[in-house]
Structure formats: C-alpha cells, structure tokens
Amino acid sequence: MVNKFAYGTFPSTRQRRNRMTDWSRRMVAETRLTSHDLILPVFVIDGKNERTPIPSMPGVERQSVDILVETAKHAEKLGIPAIALFPYIDASLKTKDAREAYNPDNVVCRAVKAIKDACPNLGVITDVALDPFNADGQDGIVVDGQILNDETTEALVRQALVQAQAGCDVVAPSDMMDGRIGAIRKVLEESSLKNVQIMAYSAKYASAFYGPFRDAIGSASALGKADKKTYQLDPANSDEAMREVAYDLDEGADSVIVKPGLPYLDVLYRVKQEFGVPVFAYQVSGEYAMMRAAGQNGWLDYIGCAIETLSCFKRAGASGVLTYSAIEVAEALEG
C-alpha cells in the first residue's frame, strides 16, 4: 500500500520549514479554535446581587439572575455564541417528584427570560434533567430504590416545555432515560415550538469526573453513596454510545453531546465519522478543576492547557465545546 503521506525525502523535504516561524505555523494550521467554538456553562441561584464561589471549581461561581445577565453580555461581546444554564435549588424546593423542575416560574425559566431580554442574539441552552430538583439527587424519579424511566420522561417533557415557553433556544436532555428525545420533540411540535433545538446528551458516561459539578448544583449530598450506572454509559463501551446516538437522532435530536471530554476523544471521533452531525464535547467539572488547581499550584500553564485541550476536541471533530474556561479562553484568543 502506498503511503499517502510520503511526499518527499530529507533533505529536499524538511518538515520543520513550515514550523519555523509563528506566521507560518498559523498559515498552515489544520485546526483553528475561536470564541465561536465555545459554550459557557453557568450556574444560577435565587436572590439578587448574589455570587457564591464553588470551592471544588476555583474561579466558578453560582450567580443570581441579575449578575448572570451581565455575564451573558460579556460572553456575547467576546463572540461566545451560547451559554448553558444549570440551577442551584434551595433544599426546601427539592421533592421526590422534582416538581419544581416544571414550575414555569422557577429560577431557570426566570433566568432564560432575563437573558433573552438582555441578549436576544445569544443562544440559551437549558439542561433538561431532574437531579438539581430531586430530593434523591438522581436524574430520574426513584420509587422503592428503582429509577423509573417512563415516569421520569413524563416529568422531563413538562420541564422541557416550560423552558421552551420561557424562550430558550435549545433544550439539552442530559438524563439518559430511554425515549425522552422523541417525547420532547413531540410536545415541542404540538406546542408550536418546532424551532426549539434539541441538543441531546447522547453519549453521557457514568464518570468519576462529575464530582465538582454535583457540588455546584447541590445534588452531591442528596445522591450520597448512590450512583447513576443504571442509566449513564459504562466507560468501557463505545459501540453502546453509537446506538444511543442513533436512537436520539432518529427521535429528533438536532445535535448530540459526548460527555466527559478528554477521556472520550475516541467516542467523539467515532460519532462524527459515523453520523456526520453536529457533535459537541463537554469538558466537565473534573477536567476543569484538575487544570485549574494545577495551574494555581504552578504545576502547569492553565490557559495554555485549556486552549490545547479545546483544540483537541476540535481536531477530533467537535462542532463546539462546553467549557468552564470559555470566557478566559475567549479573552486569551482575543488578546
């Protein structure tokens, strides 16, 4: 077999020539990372003028709606196309049936309205999952120790509907219940909300990298020693992820997410190669926390590593990346 990359021999061909100068490296770059590739995940809380640091995610805060609007304006100014909303809910509102998730006046819906009023051209993505609202800390409704799929899907449909009615551009079901994409698409079509996108967490793994996120949304204590292995994917599997993606696309998803990011670059690449649809990577809280903490300790260059890893996602086929580093990276790219 002829090597398609054999285009000459040394010394007539010197591979380093294209790498010798900054201008040349930029000119021949195969992958380009810009602020348009970034999605900023944010955590919203009730109150006014409230900022609550998240100790396990240095540099990340929970923000009240008024503060979050200013963050959204800054992100838009930097060229970041969308933000992804995640709520921190007061313990008094958490119930076994997670009914606050589909309260049309919950903090997520209020945040959507405020952000879209202030930044109508900024995309707003909402998380469709029950864990922030669930007294059990699970993404699904729990009865007698069992996580019920169909009953959970009914709640997710109601949650997605109030978010879409509030004005979000994209609903992003992250729960990994069977059949929820088709059910959500059906209600959106029936409710004259056919233009609302569904960004499905189709390949979401039962990962150890989610710890800081669960601190951020306040589900860690409720979840306790329980896990999510009955509905999130086994980290050992990739064929299973392809089946999940296929199902979600067939049911009406417009794009899909692979989560976490770096440990699953092979899955990201496979999804892009096999389906050719918009696919997003989520650089999750544990990935962010490792880089950030190591940077604070002087062990590595945090921004340099953030840019490098985000470029890796792009190289593997990602249309974009959800990353807590979005604003800092966008500022670095701008500068």
Side-chain angles (χ1 to χ4, degrees), residues 241-260:
M242 300 306 108
R243 293 182 64 197
E244 292 283 2
V245 170
Y247 277 125
D248 286 354
L249 292 173
D250 188 57
E251 290 179 15
D254 299 287
S255 58
V256 298
I257 294 176
V258 174
K259 180 181 181 183

Side-chain angles (χ1 to χ4, degrees), residues 123-245:
V124 176
I125 302 167
T126 52
D127 182 48
V128 182
L130 303 185
D131 49 333
F133 307 91
N134 192 338
D136 293 295
Q138 293 284 2
D139 294 46
I141 293 171
V142 183
V143 176
D144 296 329
Q146 296 294 314
I147 298 161
L148 305 182
N149 190 96
D150 297 358
E151 291 80 355
T152 298
T153 296
E154 291 176 9
L156 296 171
V157 167
R158 297 176 70 179
Q159 182 184 22
L161 182 58
V162 299
Q163 292 173 352
Q165 289 171 334
C168 76
D169 302 286
V170 184
V171 291
S174 64
D175 56 284
M176 291 298 289
M177 297 294 128
D178 291 335
R180 87 275 200 221
I181 301 301
I184 291 170
R185 176 53 69 202
K186 181 173 185 290
V187 77
L188 292 176
E189 290 287 330
E190 293 173 346
S191 303
S192 300
L193 293 163
K194 59 182 179 294
N195 292 327
V196 174
Q197 296 180 35
I198 299 178
M199 182 184 287
Y201 287 70
S202 300
K204 182 178 180 180
Y205 283 83
S207 172
F209 285 92
Y210 300 149
F213 177 87
R214 290 172 184 166
D215 292 338
I217 64 167
S219 68
S221 58
L223 187 63
K225 294 184 179 180
D227 59 50
K228 302 188 177 186
K229 293 180 180 178
T230 67
Y231 49 98
Q232 294 178 357
L233 294 176
D234 183 342
N237 297 346
S238 64
D239 286 346
E240 185 180 16
M242 300 306 108
R243 293 182 64 197
E244 292 283 2
V245 170

